[in-house]
Amino acid sequence: MKTKTTKTIYWSGATFMSLWFGASGFFELTKNPVVWDITQQLGYPSHFIYILGVFKLAGVLVLLLPNRLLRLKEWVFAGMFFDIIFAFFSKIAVIGFISTIDAIVAFTVLLVTYFMFRKLYTPELIFGEE
């Protein structure tokens, strides 16, 4: 795969995930009933919802910085991974499988985006290994 194609796939995925997590974080911080009610229905406390919102918005900022904070981007990808996995299993346990479609889509896009990130940025660039 050419570098231009890899970059296009990466930035498309990063943009999609940033919109997804940015909207979610914004809705969590503004107590949007759609997001807030589902999250509380899953059993998460109010203070946790605010923390999620702050970290999602911070992660979006890091993810959208080109060629900067590569190690921190690894952490952002990990945070997104855990958020999606927890949402998936929480929804299965409380609401049912059909409610997990959004998590499955987000997880798929996240995986592809992360693999493109690792293709673009070698461990030497990310971690400063020699």
Side-chain angles (χ1 to χ4, degrees):
M1 184 179 307
K2 294 183 180 181
T3 303
K4 184 177 180 181
T5 305
T6 303
K7 283 183 181 180
T8 301
I9 294 170
Y10 169 73
W11 282 109
S12 297
T15 301
F16 178 82
M17 295 310 298
S18 294
L19 289 170
W20 189 290
F21 274 81
S24 175
F26 175 78
F27 292 150
E28 287 162 350
L29 291 177
T30 59
K31 281 185 103 170
N32 180 288
V34 174
V35 172
W36 195 267
D37 293 347
I38 290 172
T39 309
Q40 285 192 316
Q41 181 183 0
L42 296 174
Y44 293 102
S46 300
H47 68 277
F48 183 72
I49 300 170
Y50 286 119
I51 293 168
L52 274 178
V54 169
F55 278 97
K56 285 179 181 180
L57 293 178
V60 165
L61 293 175
V62 170
L63 197 62
L64 292 177
L65 287 173
N67 304 318
R68 300 253 190 281
L69 304 173
L70 300 178
R71 188 177 295 201
L72 194 53
K73 281 186 190 192
E74 285 277 335
W75 284 68
V76 170
F77 280 115
M80 289 179 167
F81 170 80
F82 286 117
D83 180 86
I84 293 167
I85 291 296
F86 290 140
F88 177 82
F89 285 109
S90 295
K91 286 180 176 183
I92 279 183
V94 176
I95 304 172
F97 181 77
I98 196 69
S99 67
T100 65
I101 300 302
D102 61 338
I104 293 169
V105 170
F107 187 75
T108 304
V109 173
L110 183 65
L111 277 179
V112 171
T113 305
Y114 180 70
F115 286 129
M116 295 301 109
F117 172 75
R118 290 308 299 257
K119 208 168 184 183
L120 289 171
Y121 301 104
T122 63
E124 293 82 21
L125 289 172
I126 296 170
F127 303 111
E129 297 174 0
E130 299 199 23

